[in-house]
Amino acid sequence: MNAKPTPPKRALLIFNPKSGKGPSPLPRFIAALGERGWHVDAEELPQKGELETLLSSAEHYSAVIAAGGDGTVSSIAYVLRNRGVPLLAYPAGTANLIAQNLNLPEDPQELAQVVDELRAVSIDLGELSVAGKSHGFVLLAGAGADAAMIEGAEGLKDRLGVFAYVVSALKQLSPKTTTFHLTLDGKAQDVDAMAVMVANFGMANFRLPIAPGVSPNDGQFAVLVLKAGSVLELLPNLLDSLRAKLNLGEPVFGKNIDVFSASEVEVSTEEPFPLQYDGEIHDETTPFTARVLPKAALLLTGASQEELET
């Protein structure tokens, strides 16, 4: 008696052709999945408003693969929220901070192995509400100097890649400051700062922690208040967080950033400040509201829970 053939595992790959630069390893990744018995349906990232239609049958797939920058990944994760469909954040953008925070490999064969093993972790999503519209984010949303830095890097990314953000940061020698009016889980607080970031994950480029104690699935945001100064003054905070993570001593630098916890955050300012979420510059400005959607996303990763936290 002949055994029935094993049906192929199916993945839906959505790619953003505008992400990244140079030759793409994506064909090698798809080929590596094929070697492992996967059938891949590839679709180009559609126009805004059409992503929901493309993902309407996502439950028919064993996994969805988002190949693009962090904005592409977060938009797909938001449409898939609470649907239990495993999602791979394929690193096809410039910084790929979501993939870095998930400690995903860059090698196509190793990434294919992550998909094949279907090991996933449930993480919180953030929902940003501004000007009557809602957007999802995986990493963080922010207003102020961080948004200005990302905006300044846009024209440099094709030439400098991830170092475009470094160059843009160096230009932020005297960022604008204002009074931020915060409401954290119903409690009001005013702070003078150059930026406020609502973080779900806690690592910047090269997996450097931006603050200790940030977890992506604890039902809480880390609300980071960047006090007046230059962006360069935050470097000691990154190094200090790294020291704490490696158990090399208690934190020494802590004067430039205040950290709060909340599951719902309202942010307004004395004057309009630019917004960004997961590296995407927003057309609107402050005010905005962010709330946690607990464990709403299922992301593929081989990382342990400890590797996802700072």
Side-chain angles (χ1 to χ4, degrees), residues 10-14 38 54-66 73 76-89 118-123 125 295-300:
R10 297 182 66 210
L12 173 62
L13 186 150
I14 301 174
W38 284 77
L54 179 58
L55 289 168
S56 61
S57 60
E59 284 83 358
H60 296 162
Y61 292 90
S62 301
V64 173
I65 300 162
V73 176
I76 292 173
Y78 186 57
V79 174
L80 291 176
R81 65 191 183 278
N82 297 317
R83 291 169 63 179
V85 180
L87 174 65
L88 177 74
L118 285 176
R119 286 197 294 162
V121 61
S122 294
I123 70 156
L125 285 180
K295 297 184 177 180
L298 192 62
L299 295 186
L300 292 168

Side-chain angles (χ1 to χ4, degrees), residues 10-201:
R10 297 182 66 210
L12 173 62
L13 186 150
I14 301 174
F15 65 95
N16 185 348
K18 298 179 181 178
S19 295
K21 62 174 185 173
S24 171
L26 193 56
R28 287 189 288 137
F29 167 71
I30 295 173
L33 282 175
E35 293 168 0
R36 289 166 170 80
W38 284 77
H39 174 83
V40 178
D41 293 333
E43 298 283 351
E44 187 173 319
L45 183 70
Q47 299 294 319
K48 287 184 178 180
E50 299 176 8
L51 188 56
E52 289 83 357
T53 301
L54 179 58
L55 289 168
S56 61
S57 60
E59 284 83 358
H60 296 162
Y61 292 90
S62 301
V64 173
I65 300 162
D70 292 326
T72 298
V73 176
S74 62
S75 63
I76 292 173
Y78 186 57
V79 174
L80 291 176
R81 65 191 183 278
N82 297 317
R83 291 169 63 179
V85 180
L87 174 65
L88 177 74
Y90 181 91
T94 302
N96 302 309
L97 286 180
I98 296 175
Q100 287 191 54
N101 273 269
L102 291 167
N103 206 18
L104 287 170
E106 295 184 2
D107 179 77
Q109 288 284 349
E110 294 178 13
L111 277 169
Q113 185 66 30
V114 170
V115 175
D116 196 40
E117 292 176 351
L118 285 176
R119 286 197 294 162
V121 61
S122 294
I123 70 156
D124 303 331
L125 285 180
E127 185 174 68
L128 177 73
S129 298
V130 56
K133 297 180 181 179
S134 294
H135 311 267
F137 63 94
V138 174
L139 293 171
L140 60 82
D146 63 314
M149 180 187 69
I150 290 171
E151 187 172 28
E154 282 301 306
L156 303 172
K157 288 195 296 185
D158 286 344
R159 187 159 44 92
L160 300 178
V162 68
F163 290 101
Y165 298 102
V166 178
V167 172
S168 182
L170 291 173
K171 295 179 180 179
Q172 305 291 323
L173 296 179
S174 298
K176 182 189 284 188
T177 62
T178 191
T179 299
F180 285 83
H181 306 292
L182 308 180
T183 304
L184 309 176
D185 290 338
K187 297 179 180 179
Q189 181 167 345
D190 291 347
V191 294
D192 292 327
M194 60 179 176
V196 169
M197 297 190 295
V198 181
N200 186 43
F201 275 94

